[in-house]
Each structure stands twice: as structure tokens, then as C-alpha cells.
Amino acid sequence: MSDWVQLTELCATWPGTAWSWDDRFGMVASTFEAAQEPAARASAMRAFPRGWTAKSIDTAPAELIAIATKTGGLRARQRLLGGDAGLYALWWPWGGGDKVTLRVGLVDRDASALRAVVGCAVGA
């Protein structure tokens, strides 16, 4: 799957904190400072070339709309990012605007598979 290579590239260029497991959503997550946003966007585009906002979510594939709904919907400045092979990410700025968290998951699969495939993501 080419996405695993793209995720490895994401990890190699990611400016944020070390990846950790997010039990709340069953995804891997990393946070970065607002000043790092241009570098984070460029890195994220390697694995997630498509994206939707609260205004455009209606045009996303049905499975991604379901994820947006399941995770509380998209608010202002939040994005749902899409890759191939069922990969997606949630781009969630913090309320104060000083940080952003990127969460990465797999549609219809246990995202813990990311632990084994993406070495930078999370240890077991």
C-alpha cells in the first residue's frame, strides 16, 4: 500500500511532538505549535492530499462524513483529511489557537495497525 510509504514520509518530516495513542478516538495523535503550521501542512499533504471543512464536508465520501459525525462534527478551523486505502486524519486547532493536534486513523479498521506499520507513530 502506497499510503504506508506516505505515512513514513509524513513521520520523517513531521514538526510536531512524538506520536501517541489517543484512546478517545482510537487513533495516533501529535500536537504542534501554531508557528509550525506551514511545515505541518506540507508534511500532512504527503499522506492526506484531500481535505474538507465544516462547509464542504457534504462533498466527502460517506465513510468520512460518518467519521466526522462520530467525532463530534467539524467546527470552525477543523478539517477532515483523506488519503488512500482508508487513511484519514483530523486536523483540530486548540481553542486558544496556539496549538493544533493531528489525529490519524483508518476507516473501518482498528487504527492500532498504524502502530506496527508506521515506526514513528507509537510503540506498542
Side-chain angles (χ1 to χ4, degrees):
M1 281 191 243
S2 65
D3 275 318
W4 302 126
V5 171
Q6 292 168 356
L7 282 175
T8 301
E9 291 174 6
L10 165 76
C11 291
T13 60
W14 187 245
T17 61
W19 294 89
S20 61
W21 185 250
D22 180 344
D23 280 327
R24 187 170 122 193
F25 296 115
M27 304 169 79
V28 293
S30 176
T31 299
F32 60 90
E33 302 291 328
Q36 297 171 304
E37 188 165 343
R41 280 188 186 274
S43 182
M45 287 293 296
R46 295 173 182 271
F48 307 104
R50 295 174 299 283
W52 299 269
T53 64
K55 291 182 181 180
S56 65
I57 191 65
D58 301 4
T59 65
E63 62 270 11
L64 294 181
I65 293 172
I67 288 167
T69 302
K70 178 182 168 183
T71 58
L74 295 179
R75 296 180 184 91
R77 299 177 36 233
Q78 292 180 336
R79 295 181 63 81
L80 175 63
L81 306 176
D84 296 326
L87 287 168
Y88 69 92
L90 299 171
W91 180 281
W92 283 6
W94 292 24
D98 58 333
K99 295 183 181 184
V100 177
T101 297
L102 183 73
R103 292 175 174 86
V104 177
L106 294 166
V107 175
D108 295 330
R109 291 176 36 199
D110 182 355
S112 65
L114 292 169
R115 294 180 185 202
V117 177
V118 182
C120 73
V122 193

